[in-house]
Each structure stands twice: as C-alpha cells, then as structure tokens.
Amino acid sequence: MRDLVWSAFMVLAAACMTAGASADMPQRHALLIGASGYDEERIGPGVELLGPRNDVALMIRALRAYDVPDANMLVLADGLGQTGIDFTAHGDPTRAEIMAAFSAMLERVRPGDEILVYFSGHGSRQPQPEGAPVPEANGFDEIFLPLDIGSWEGAHGDRQAGVQNAVIDDEIGEFLDGLRDRNVFVWLVVDTCHSGGANRGAGPGGEFRTRAVTEDMLGIPLEARIAAEQRAQVTRSGASSPRPDSAIALGEGGFVAFYAAHSGQLALEGLMPKVGAADARDNFGVMTFHIANGLLAGGVASYRDLAYRVLSGYNDWGSRAPAPLFEGDLDRALLGQGGAIRSPQWHARFLARDTTEIEAGFLEGVGEGAVFEIIVRDPDTQGPHPSFPGPYFVEAVEVGQTATRAVLTAFDGNEAARALPGRTAYMTARLADPGVRLALSVVIEEASGEMNAREQLAVEALSRLAQANPETLIAPIDFRQPGEPADVRIRVQDNAIWLLRGEPDIIATGRNRSARILLDDASSADALMSQIEGELHKLTRVRNILNAASALQGSRGLENLQYEAFVWQATPPRLTADARAPDDWACSLPDPSAIPADAVSFEELGTSDLNALELSHCDIVYIRLTNTGDRAIDVTPLYIDSQAGIHRLPFLGTGTSTRIEPGEQPRIVWAGLRTFDWTSGYPASAGLERLLLLAVERAPGAAIPMDFSFLTQAGLVRSADGVVSDAERSPLGQLMSMAAFGGSVTRSARTRPALDAQAGTILFQWRLIPPGAEG
C-alpha cells in the first residue's frame, strides 16, 4: 500500500447518519488535516502555504451538504479561524496530533461506517531504510510534512528515522488498513505532491505554486538518495509483470482514493477559480476546489462521477495540466448516498422583474451560462406555489464565489417568462444545466526592459487586438488586465510572441518549449494581429471541445457502449550512429486485423480512462468498442495532441463507418503515438494528450451514420463551404460546433439537449514522454 499515499491526497466520506439516527446505525466520519503555516526558519524561504486552511474549510462545507455532522469531523488545521468557517479546529497538524488523531478515529468508528481521510499541505520523499520489510519500487518513502517537520536525521534501520517528525506513507497505510479491518469504508484524498525534485517556484502567472518541498531543503544528502535509487534498481530488475506496484488492495472495508498528482508530478494551489477579480478569490488546492465543486453542485451518484467532474476542471491547463490519480472502488455510491443523486436547491432573491440573485456561486460549481429553474414556494406547505406554477428559468450572467446574478431565459423548449414574482415571494433555485464556458481568457503581460523594433511591433499588434471590437474576432476571447487570472498569458520577449498556458515561465529550448510566434523583419502589425488571433482561436477550439466533452462524460445514455483499452509498448531498437534523437526511428504499423497478443489491457495495468498513463514513441493504444444494446451507436474517434491539433482516428480493418450495429463484432480504434517525426527529422508531440470518443445512440431507422470529423478541420477558421451534415444538426453536433466554431458572441453553451438525445463522450488521456525524458 506503500506507493498509495503520495502523488497527492484527495477526498473521502462515509455512510449515512441523520441528527436523530441511532448510534447503532452506520455513520459518516471525516479526518481533515491541513497544514499551512510552515516555518521558513525550520525549512527554508517560501514554504508557507495559504491554501490548506481554505481547503479544510471548503471540505467542511461540502461534507455538511451531505449531512456529515460536525461532531463526526476531527479537524487538525492551523489558521482555520481566518477562513470565516463556523468551526473550531481540534488542534494543529503536528506529527504528535496527527498520530493521536489516527488512534482516536480507530476507536471511534464502527463496522459499516464510512470515513473521509483528507490531507492538504506539503509532501516530499525520503530514502527508504535498507532492509525495509516492504521495499518501495522507487527506493523512497513518501512523506507528509506536519507543521513541526524537521530535517534529515539519517537512517538507522528504523523506518521512523529519516526526516524528523515526517509522517510516512507506511504509517498512513497502517491507519487505513486498521480502519478497513474494522469493515469501515475509506475515502482517501491527498492534495499534495511528493516529488522531491519538483520545482517549487510559483505557477502560472505567479498565481499558482506547487505543494512539494525538495529533498535538498530537508537536508537529505545526495549519497543517501543515490543509494536508495540503486537499491530500487536491484529490486525492479527481478520484476517481470508490466503492472505497476499497486496501492491498497480492496478488502472488507472497501477503499477509494483521489490523489492530486501522479508520482513525480505536481500538485498545485493558487487563486481559484481561474475567473473573477483576484480580491474575490481565495487560495485553494486545485484538486480540492474541484472536488468540493462536484460535491456542492450535486448531480453525482458515485465516486467515478465525481472523478469525471474533477478531471473536467483541468481542461484549461493545456498539455502541461496536472494529472490527478484515482484508485479503488470508484463505482461505490458517493458518501453513502445509496446511489441517490443529490440535487441541491438554493435560496433565490428578487432583484428586478427579470433578475434574481441565487445563493450559489463558483464554490458550488456554477459556471458562466449555467441555467437554473426558479421554484416559487408556498410558505405554508413548502411545496410549489399553486399561483406561480412557472416554469421560470434564469441564466447566470455574473458569478461570484457564493452568489450568482441571473436573468430570465428560454430553456428546454420553454419561452422566457415575462417576469419573476415580486419581492415577497419565497423562491428557491435548482441547477438545470451547469453550462459550458467557451470564452478564452487572455492576459497580455506588461513589457519589461528595452525592446527592438520587431518586439515593439508585436506589442503594437497585441494592443490593437486587445482593443478590437470583441464581436469582430473569430473566437470568444476575453482580454484581461495584467495580474488577473487567465487561460493564456502572452509575453513578448527574445524576438518572439510567447503563448503561455500552464508553465510558470518561458521554456525557451527543448521538447517542452513554450508555444511561440517568431518575429521577423517582414512582419506587419496587421499580419501579426491575424496570426496571434488564429493561434488563440486554435487553443480556444481545443479547450472548448474538451470542456463540452467533459460535461457529457459518464453519460447514462451510453450504458450500451462497452469499451476496453489496451496498450502495446514498443521496444526501442539500437540506434544508428547518425540518429538525430533518442526517438529517431520508424514505428511499426499495427496488425490490420486484431489487437496484438502482447498488448496489455489498462485493467491489467491497474488504470482506466480516469488516469493518465506515461507512454512514449511508437506505443500504440487500442480501444475495443462493443454495442450491447438493441440500437445502433455512432462513434467518432478524435485525437487531441499536445500542440492543439485534432485528428480523426482510424478503425482497424477496412471499415471506415462510425456506426456500430447491435450484435456486431467489436470495432477497434487505434492510435499510434509519435514523439519524433522520422520523415521530417523534427520532434513531434509530447505532453498530456487525449483520445475522445463522441458517441450517439441512434433511433431505429436512422440511415446515415453520424460522423463528427468536421471538428478536425485543419485551418484555424472554419470553411463556409459544404453542406451541413446530420451530425452537425444533432444536439451533440450543435454543442460541439458551438465549442469549436461558435464565434466571438458565443460565450457559453448548454449540455442538456445532447444528454437528452442519448449522446455522450468517453475520454482517455496519457502523458506522452520522449525516450530518456523525465515524466
């Protein structure tokens, strides 16, 4: 279980308990640990975090929405009183108090209970002592850093030795095992990372930072690290299975885990959400924020549903997006709800005849373009008021942290109501459609230092673009002021216009170089404006297609489409003397008739569509699709690469139709991965990439298969030529068309029509890494 705990902690919650429930009934508990105020004199400069205290307050709020009593929450968090939450922490997150809390919870829980064990703070790793009974695959113990963390004390054969006061993954594992031995279901959430070599610098735009402390800062000597790595190499050499070391195996108690990052990757905190004025936002862990959003917004029945919601929050980060990790019994009913879907309602206040203020905002998962149904209540019966049957639908036009201003709108075939009831009406609001934000936010960073003529021309072009009439642009772009949150930051430097998405600073060289537009003497301001706008449109299309697809992920309309994923991993050949790179070799073509016998299923690898595998040059991914229903299903496979390209993928064999008939032999989609273009001699794609399956269950008699290949258009501007297809006219086609080609006036879209039309998406992701590069 020992690799379990440390790529990042995330959420858990438990069975059902109401205020008057019997003590013998299963209960829900939570142990929430958040460490913020780390001592710079003890560790080093820049280690204090602002997010964990807010994370814990947000999780308390989310758990209350699921009727977890305050008395069942044990909270260790410094600074909780600064968050405004009406809850007093039980202590500080020191090592002694954390270990005491473990013991207290083991005494408190009973068989059948559920518990959320939550960590937020800094993580790191330390060399595992030689001769440890359960050797780690990488030679290191992952550690959580309490507030009283010290420095390296050396290893003396005792696993407690190492970094003073560290909480080791084995200790957390023993605690979780103890809970599950008592037949308690455990939800573990870890919002931290353990990559000791991770960059601790600020994240994008100085707003985000990583939750890791380097091994150097903890005083761990280089020789101890090298020795641990050498021991790990010996341990790994005897392994023959392609399956990575598993975390916690499922047992009597049951277990599910959400981690903020894969091993060696970053967990981030920063001002959330990535919209709104800085003074209206707070620091949160990125993963915690999206978990709480999913819980507070409702509409999720299982941990898998919640995981899909969390992943959708990462679409704005581009190819360098952090990749959360999910494990365990993900199809378990969320927080002991028995499969019921929570549909929260919030108070709505009359502002004007067509405007209301709803007591829900970004923290509840409300997005731009969200649609609410307003229900007028009878104050005596609390039921719908017979004099105001409605329907009244309103669309969000201004979203804050905990409040939304919304105006009357048409929705779901209903015309907009003429007016809302007056100020004395008692109104509640339920979320009818969460909406999809389509506008791309952009910040043009202020120029620093002297600029040459080319760079000055680029600054002029950017200024003119930002001041242009938004309705004349080819994509919905919101230009914001420097220092505000944004999806893309633009900087003019070193004879180039740099487009920064997820990186904290320009990466000028290497395979991960930041996107850029090179400047030359032939450029004009008009030409540069057009070129910049085109590149932003390309980024907008990819981001929006992912957002729209994520909103349909896990749709119950696709219960009859089964899918299995496999990967065939290439063996690099011996390179020739004139090889231009470690991946300068031609890839083999796949077997045209079947998945290779030596391909390994995602299930064997202990992963799924929720998690990002690390793959490399010439690997091939296969998706086997089976229609188990009695209606045809049309499936379009699209590949979204790290360079914002969208490509239509082929099926194995000679058939090209997107249709899968009932009872038909499984169809197989394949994707050949490339990090180097062997013919051109230049590096190709690398980073986080996705395979998207757009699927629609068709009515009997539907003659022409739907094919959404129009989304792969090579140009940056959609051609006006051609006939609009049935696929484009369909509810799913309209949603995806708005996401890809909606134009400057299309700021948001609605998902409900596509869901009603039995449409949905399946989304796989992996991190494509060139040979020899680090994940």
Side-chain angles (χ1 to χ4, degrees):
M1 84 141 292
R2 323 307 177 184
D3 248 339
L4 178 164
V5 189
W6 283 110
S7 280
F9 280 79
M10 289 243 72
V11 186
L12 174 151
C16 262
M17 171 180 172
T18 59
S22 165
D24 295 332
M25 293 180 63
Q27 298 186 25
R28 303 175 195 158
H29 304 269
L31 172 58
L32 308 177
I33 299 171
S36 300
Y38 291 95
D39 188 348
E40 293 191 355
E41 293 185 4
R42 183 185 291 267
I43 306 174
V47 295
E48 183 174 9
L49 296 173
L50 300 175
R53 64 192 63 164
N54 295 324
D55 292 346
V56 169
L58 188 56
M59 289 308 302
I60 291 172
R61 182 177 176 183
L63 291 171
R64 284 172 170 172
Y66 279 79
D67 299 321
V68 179
D70 284 7
N72 284 15
M73 300 187 208
L74 178 52
V75 176
L76 302 178
D78 62 307
L80 190 63
Q82 302 173 31
T83 67
I85 190 79
D86 55 336
F87 193 107
T88 302
H90 299 96
D92 285 335
T94 63
R95 175 180 168 81
E97 296 211 43
I98 291 172
M99 300 308 292
F102 288 175
S103 298
M105 293 308 296
L106 288 171
E107 290 295 323
R108 179 182 299 184
V109 297
R110 296 292 180 267
D113 287 357
E114 298 194 16
I115 182 170
L116 164 63
V117 179
Y118 174 87
F119 291 84
S120 176
H122 275 308
S124 191
R125 64 178 191 171
Q126 66 182 25
Q128 188 179 39
E130 189 171 1
V134 183
E136 299 278 7
N138 62 1
F140 288 81
D141 280 319
E142 283 71 47
I143 57 176
F144 179 75
L145 276 55
L147 282 189
D148 57 343
I149 191 71
S151 57
W152 177 253
E153 294 181 323
H156 308 291
D158 176 2
R159 70 177 185 172
Q160 299 291 337
V163 175
Q164 183 186 22
N165 291 334
V167 178
I168 304 170
D169 58 353
D170 291 351
E171 296 173 307
I172 298 172
E174 287 182 357
F175 167 55
L176 301 181
D177 284 341
L179 291 168
R180 295 170 60 239
D181 286 344
R182 289 162 170 78
N183 200 24
V184 172
F185 184 86
V186 177
W187 181 18
L188 173 68
V189 176
V190 184
D191 199 349
T192 179
C193 53
H194 73 263
S195 175
N199 171 19
R200 283 192 316 106
E207 287 200 334
F208 291 82
R209 56 161 307 156
T210 65
R211 288 183 166 182
V213 169
T214 65
E215 296 151 19
D216 286 335
M217 295 183 73
L218 295 174
I220 302 175
L222 179 60
E223 56 269 23
R225 288 179 257 167
I226 293 174
E229 290 169 355
Q230 289 173 341
R231 288 195 299 272
Q233 289 173 3
V234 172
T235 301
R236 285 195 297 266
S237 66
S240 58
S241 170
R243 184 188 182 106
D245 288 349
S246 110
I248 295 180
L250 291 180
E252 275 298 307
F255 174 80
V256 68
F258 287 28
Y259 305 105
H262 284 56
S263 178
Q265 295 172 5
L266 303 180
L268 299 177
E269 77 160 46
L271 292 174
M272 294 293 291
K274 291 175 70 177
V275 293
D279 58 2
R281 298 175 297 137
D282 287 320
N283 280 273
F284 295 97
V286 173
M287 185 173 177
T288 295
F289 182 82
H290 292 303
I291 286 176
N293 272 185
L295 292 173
L296 289 167
V300 289
S302 67
Y303 291 99
R304 185 178 301 277
D305 292 344
L306 181 60
Y308 285 136
R309 289 281 186 91
V310 171
L311 282 177
S312 69
Y314 285 79
N315 290 334
D316 294 341
W317 293 83
S319 64
R320 294 178 178 84
L325 178 65
F326 308 95
E327 294 183 331
D329 189 6
L330 293 165
D331 293 315
R332 169 95 172 196
L334 182 66
L335 293 175
Q337 296 294 295
I341 297 178
R342 178 176 171 270
S343 181
Q345 297 197 20
W346 300 280
H347 176 66
R349 184 168 65 92
F350 180 91
L351 294 181
R353 58 178 286 121
D354 67 342
T355 308
T356 181
E357 183 181 71
I358 300 167
E359 292 182 349
F362 288 126
L363 294 183
E364 286 79 15
V366 179
E368 299 173 24
V371 177
F372 296 85
E373 182 181 10
I374 300 296
I375 300 170
V376 184
R377 300 284 180 182
D378 185 315
D380 296 324
T381 68
Q382 298 299 303
H385 201 299
S387 300
F388 302 97
Y392 304 95
F393 291 103
V394 294
E395 181 173 0
V397 294
E398 185 178 321
V399 185
Q401 272 204 344
T402 57
T404 296
R405 187 169 64 86
V407 298
L408 286 170
T409 186
F411 180 72
D412 201 21
N414 298 288
E415 294 184 359
R418 289 176 175 268
L420 290 165
R423 295 182 182 277
T424 58
Y426 170 38
M427 300 185 296
T428 61
R430 70 169 187 87
L431 197 60
D433 193 314
V436 178
R437 179 174 72 96
L438 299 182
L440 185 79
S441 57
V442 176
V443 160
I444 301 171
E445 295 187 349
E446 295 178 339
S448 59
E450 294 187 7
M451 292 194 162
N452 59 35
R454 293 178 180 176
E455 294 167 341
Q456 290 174 358
L457 189 67
V459 170
E460 178 189 346
L462 285 166
S463 176
R464 288 169 55 182
L465 183 63
Q467 294 172 19
N469 182 346
E471 295 189 4
T472 66
L473 302 178
I474 60 176
I477 300 174
D478 288 334
F479 286 97
R480 298 179 177 175
Q481 296 300 312
E484 292 186 0
D487 301 315
V488 178
R489 293 159 31 241
I490 301 180
R491 185 184 307 173
V492 177
Q493 183 177 309
D494 300 331
N495 280 316
I497 300 170
W498 299 87
L499 307 175
L500 309 178
R501 287 182 287 169
E503 58 268 55
D505 205 347
I506 290 173
I507 303 173
T509 59
R511 295 287 186 97
N512 292 322
R513 184 178 61 198
S514 304
R516 62 179 180 173
I517 299 171
L518 291 174
L519 302 174
D520 57 48
D521 293 330
S523 299
S524 67
D526 287 341
L528 280 175
M529 278 183 63
S530 178
Q531 193 173 4
I532 297 164
E533 184 183 6
E535 292 300 310
L536 291 176
H537 183 213
K538 187 175 181 181
L539 296 176
T540 303
R541 288 178 55 206
V542 169
R543 196 283 307 271
N544 289 350
I545 286 173
L546 285 172
N547 281 349
S550 295
L552 304 178
Q553 210 169 356
S555 165
R556 284 161 181 78
L558 294 181
E559 292 174 344
N560 295 322
L561 182 64
Q562 291 186 355
Y563 55 92
E564 301 169 272
F566 302 81
V567 60
W568 178 85
Q569 294 191 279
T571 301
R574 185 183 298 274
L575 295 177
T576 61
D578 59 349
R580 295 159 290 187
D583 45 359
D584 182 9
W585 42 282
C587 300
S588 302
L589 293 175
D591 183 326
S593 61
I595 298 172
D598 55 348
V600 181
S601 71
F602 278 32
E603 184 178 3
E604 288 180 87
L605 291 170
T607 189
S608 70
D609 56 322
L610 288 167
N611 297 322
L613 282 176
E614 291 187 356
L615 301 177
S616 193
H617 184 57
C618 290
D619 292 350
I620 304 176
V621 174
Y622 299 88
I623 311 296
R624 183 161 60 201
L625 302 168
T626 305
N627 184 348
T628 62
D630 56 8
R631 290 186 175 190
I633 301 176
D634 295 339
V635 180
T636 304
L638 301 176
Y639 192 87
I640 301 177
D641 67 31
S642 62
Q643 298 174 355
I646 307 174
H647 317 277
R648 164 73 146 78
L649 289 176
F651 291 92
L652 282 185
T654 57
T656 59
S657 171
T658 62
R659 176 152 297 177
I660 306 176
E661 296 285 358
E664 181 183 356
Q665 288 295 312
R667 299 286 301 282
I668 297 171
V669 175
W670 67 276
L673 311 183
R674 306 287 185 271
T675 61
F676 191 86
D677 188 332
W678 186 65
T679 55
S680 69
Y682 289 99
S685 188
L688 193 65
E689 307 205 335
R690 284 119 166 160
L691 189 160
L692 170 63
L693 302 172
L694 298 175
V696 182
E697 189 171 283
R698 305 300 303 279
I704 301 175
M706 286 188 178
D707 190 334
F708 296 89
S709 296
F710 63 87
L711 296 171
T712 64
Q713 160 191 318
L716 295 175
V717 181
R718 188 184 184 192
S719 170
D721 299 333
V723 178
V724 178
S725 68
D726 287 343
E728 291 174 87
R729 291 192 190 96
S730 70
L732 178 58
Q734 292 179 43
L735 172 63
M736 302 309 291
S737 292
M738 290 176 69
F741 314 114
S744 60
V745 297
T746 307
R747 321 301 289 180
S748 61
R750 296 172 185 172
T751 63
R752 173 79 170 273
L755 290 171
D756 289 344
Q758 299 295 294
T761 62
I762 301 167
L763 189 61
F764 289 88
Q765 60 177 349
W766 43 77
R767 199 170 293 278
L768 191 53
I769 302 172
E774 295 184 0

